[in-house]
Amino acid sequence: MIAGTATNVVFGLLRMAVLLAALDAAPGGRIAGYDVAATVTYVWLGQGLLAFVVLWGDAALANRIRSGDVVVDLYRPWDLQQALLAEDLGRAAYCAVTRLVPPVVVGALLFPFRWPTPERWPVFLVSAVLAVLVSFGMRFLVNASTFWLLDNRGVMALYGVATGILCGLTVPLDFFPEWARFALWFTPMPAIMQSPIDVFIGHGSLWLTVGHQVFWAVALFLAGRLALARAVRKVVVQGG
Amino acid sequence: MADGIYRKILHARLRGQLSYRGSFLLDCLAQAIAQGGELVVILVLFNRITALGGFSVTEVLLVYALASTAFGMSDLFAGQLNALPMYIREGTFDVLLLRPLGTLPQLMASDLPLKRIGRVFSGLVVLGYALLHNDVVWTPWSVGLLLVTPVAGAVIFSGIWVLACSVCFWLVDGQELANTVTYGSNTFTSYPISVYSGWLRRLMAFVVPGAFVAYYPALALLDKTDPLGAPAWLGWVAPLVAALVAGLAGITWTFAVRHYRGTGS
Amino acid sequence: MIEVRDLRREFRVSEKAGFLRRAHRTVAAVDGVSFDVAAGEAVGYVGPNGAGKSTTIKMLTGILVPTSGTVRVSGVDPSRQRKELARRIGVVFGQRSQLWWDLPLKDSFELLKAIYRVSAPDFTARLAECVELLELGPFLTTPVRQLSLGQRMRGEVTASLLHAPELLVLDEPTIGLDLESKERLREFLAELNTKRGTTLLLTTHDLDDIQRLCPRLMVIDHGTVLADGPLADLRAEVSPDRVLVVDLEDAAPPLDDLPGVTSVRLEMGGKRQHLAFRRDVTTAAALITAVAARAEVHDLAVVEPEIDDVVRRLYERRHLGAECR
């Protein structure tokens, strides 16, 4: 936890330096509505959310599929997807304390930080949970692809680097050119990280942001069900 | 003589990888994109501004490309050091000690992940672009500097990698701290150091000599004066800094292994 | 071949002692061990887990540096001349591989040939011999990760012999192997020792390995050598008794009054009797004659105490001694 937070802090400092240097050179000292406080908050909240939403993806289910252990999971009297979701929410709750709070505290203590207005707090909590749900939905699908691809490490590696850029970790998505921003909102990517940050700093339309998250959380969950059902049929028919 | 051995080891490792051809291309692509992540940031920012830390977009791209190529080359060999905690935990480090070769070169040659070529490749593409779009005065000296810089940079990165990973001989979860230094300096060196300030700049530019990987050599290639006021000759000393870092890394590694074998504790 | 004097190795163990405080304690894993192994010997080094076996092996092979004492192996100091030593000895660890995981076995051998600078004719000859005796042929081109444990161990042994070491150190070479693989490996090692004169030092939990391979046994516990000598001597030392098992035609009362018999255990209501006797008082032949005079003997066998018993009794004796002190 200490080592992880140290990493978050160093990368937070590097990211913040680059973005603030950019603000410095921008007309009026702001880019796409981000002033210094919004940028600082964006950076440190992002470093905290990184582990909270498992931005890079994970491989636990994929490893169980590859080793064949998944058969045991499938025959247990539970819904595998819901069981994994429950597990992931528990993990996120733990991460909220150990990984999300520390970078935010560092940012808030040392730099000009912007806290949400009181009525935004509950919305932020909802948005953060939705971010975990969307991330879970994406990770579940990426992992489940192992049922069809013998070796999906390439897919996972690709997912890991794509999220870093497209979810809004390295640079706020509103800095992107118009066409790219437009295209990104048709994907679940912003819902994983940029959305809770936007809610926190009061950027953009609150309800549109959360609505987008709800849509993707539900859509990905249903897609995951469908994929799992097909995978089960495949495992049963082919015997793994 | 000894290098013949390592050539054979690396050659065999390459053949070993071809047995996993499956997701190789995607992996390669992921590596290229991973290294290109910083490129996206640069391009997105310059969509909104015209200068960053006193540098134009093509100038920043030159710094980024030099750093990226050097890091990619270093990652090919020194990247294996990320497996050091596993070697120690599983006792396979002992096997390296049973062979009549040095442990560090054996570890570096233990794998040659071809997919990481993707990182070098994306660096070289941007380097080509940046050289075409900057006013570089071509003399035998600048050509020499251009060829030497990525190599010196790779040695500096590798040295940092060795120094950081040596921590793993003492700390069980030293790997993540080491990554902060190695991947952190990859990010740091991708931008002109004038972007950073205070102790962060002093630490990452001079204590970890990140400024010599790309920033100072880029200034020399561009024949540009440092906005921070450093003398121009700093652009030419990267090989010296590299030699210094390599020497320090070698001594630290020897000390760390001695600790592992039980005399250093 | 091996010369060990007053060898000692300490480890610092730290343990929690209250909030944020750690207490450090020094533990001697090897505590004053001395022994010699002559060229051509085959020595078994046994002891329970944590007795100091692996630590000794690591000091002999140059992985660990002793805290004090001296070691010379093959004429060099392992801690100072690690690379020189590596050329002269071969080491097989049962639990950690020296082969390249995703390369065919053959390629691993080729790499070791380059690493140890073995000449092409030597390499071809040695490899051919191992391939024949260990029957590596069928899986020589299989990647190591796909080999069974038995196949892999045969590969490991071959890998450690390509540079024709004078001394082969084996740490638990038969652990986890099936009976057939164990037997094949033992046969090979025995031949290596007797025909080629390669010195063997092996640690093992499987005392059959010792019985089969090692005329000399060293027992270590708590970092010190408990016993060192030929297996037969150790046996006589800890248990002077041998056992005669007789199957009688008809059940008989315990034959405990025969000369030299110290105890009797009955089976099948007295049809089978285990007669323990002092070998310094009587002989097996004399005892058989005495039994035949009393009852009709259907079958008989003379049993040596099991090697496990010998080792166990050595431990017991030591712990009794400790209590008396």
Side-chain angles (χ1 to χ4, degrees), chain A residues 4 6-7 10-11 13-15 17-19 21-22 25-26 31 151 153-155 157-158 161 165 170 174-177 181, chain B residues 20 23 26-27 30 33-34 37-38 40-41 44-45 47-49 51-52 176-177 180 183-184 187-188 191 195-196 199-200:
Chain A
T7 310
V10 170
F11 276 92
L13 290 171
L14 292 172
R15 285 273 150 249
V18 171
L19 291 179
I31 298 176
D151 184 357
R153 280 173 300 182
V155 175
L158 211 53
V161 297
I165 301 165
T170 49
D174 275 351
F175 286 24
F176 277 65
R181 239 159 51 217
Chain B
Y20 292 111
S23 58
L26 275 182
D27 240 351
I33 296 177
E38 225 51 61
V40 174
V41 177
V44 165
L45 289 180
N47 182 38
R48 304 279 184 161
I49 55 179
L52 187 67
E176 190 152 6
L177 285 177
T180 306
Y183 293 95
T187 302
F188 177 85
Y191 296 90
V195 163
Y196 312 96
W199 63 268
L200 183 68

Side-chain angles (χ1 to χ4, degrees), chain C residues 1 11 18 23 25 30 53 75 79 81 84-85 101 105 107 109-110 115 120 125 127 139 147 182 194 223 265 302 311:
Chain C
M1 184 63 61
F11 289 104
R25 195 158 57 89
V30 172
K53 278 178 306 188
S79 61
Q81 296 154 280
E84 187 51 44
L85 180 74
W101 204 237
L105 202 48
D107 290 17
F109 295 155
E110 293 278 352
I115 288 175
L127 183 58
F139 49 90
L147 297 181
K182 272 185 188 173
T194 50
R265 190 160 61 82
V302 181
V311 172

Side-chain angles (χ1 to χ4, degrees), chain B residues 1 5 8-9 12-13 15-16 19-20 90-92 94-103 260-263, chain C residues 9 58 61-65 78-79 82-83 86-87 91 93 96-98 102-103 107 111-112 114-116 145:
Chain B
M1 196 165 59
I5 297 170
K8 279 183 186 146
I9 296 179
R13 299 300 311 137
R15 270 188 296 163
S19 59
Y20 292 111
E90 294 179 359
T92 27
D94 292 353
V95 175
L96 301 185
L97 283 168
L98 291 175
R99 298 206 182 112
L101 298 174
T103 45
Y260 177 81
R261 294 173 70 201
T263 49
Chain C
R9 171 72 209 197
K58 283 183 178 179
T61 52
I63 293 170
L64 275 182
V65 179
S79 61
R82 176 178 76 74
K83 293 182 194 173
R87 295 186 187 290
V91 183
F93 285 119
R96 51 195 84 163
S97 180
Q98 56 183 322
D102 51 1
L103 291 188
D107 290 17
L111 283 182
L112 290 166
I115 288 175
Y116 287 93
R145 65 187 139 92

Side-chain angles (χ1 to χ4, degrees), chain B residues 7 10-11 27 38 50-51 58 76 78 106 126 129 143 151 164 190 203 210 222:
Chain B
R7 210 191 59 233
L10 290 174
H11 184 74
D27 240 351
E38 225 51 61
T50 51
T58 49
L76 273 177
Q106 281 190 77
V126 181
Y129 176 89
V143 172
V151 178
S190 299
L203 178 76
L222 295 167

Side-chain angles (χ1 to χ4, degrees), chain B residues 175-249:
Chain B
Q175 185 60 41
E176 190 152 6
L177 285 177
N179 280 349
T180 306
V181 180
T182 51
Y183 293 95
S185 31
N186 180 26
T187 302
F188 177 85
T189 51
S190 299
Y191 296 90
I193 65 168
S194 53
V195 163
Y196 312 96
S197 60
W199 63 268
L200 183 68
R201 177 164 74 203
R202 283 196 288 277
L203 178 76
M204 298 296 280
F206 304 110
V207 179
V208 178
F212 297 89
V213 171
Y215 181 68
Y216 287 134
L219 286 179
L221 279 173
L222 295 167
D223 200 16
K224 187 177 163 98
T225 37
D226 184 9
L228 301 172
W233 56 265
L234 284 178
W236 300 86
V237 298
L240 267 175
V241 175
L244 212 64
V245 174
L248 198 60

Side-chain angles (χ1 to χ4, degrees), chain C residues 59-80:
Chain C
M59 287 190 281
L60 292 180
T61 52
I63 293 170
L64 275 182
V65 179
T67 307
S68 66
T70 57
V71 185
R72 285 193 83 75
V73 176
S74 220
V76 304
D77 176 350
S79 61
R80 298 241 172 79

Side-chain angles (χ1 to χ4, degrees), chain C residues 23-41:
Chain C
H24 294 282
R25 195 158 57 89
T26 305
V27 178
V30 172
D31 191 2
V33 166
S34 301
F35 63 88
D36 290 286
V37 176
E41 270 197 280

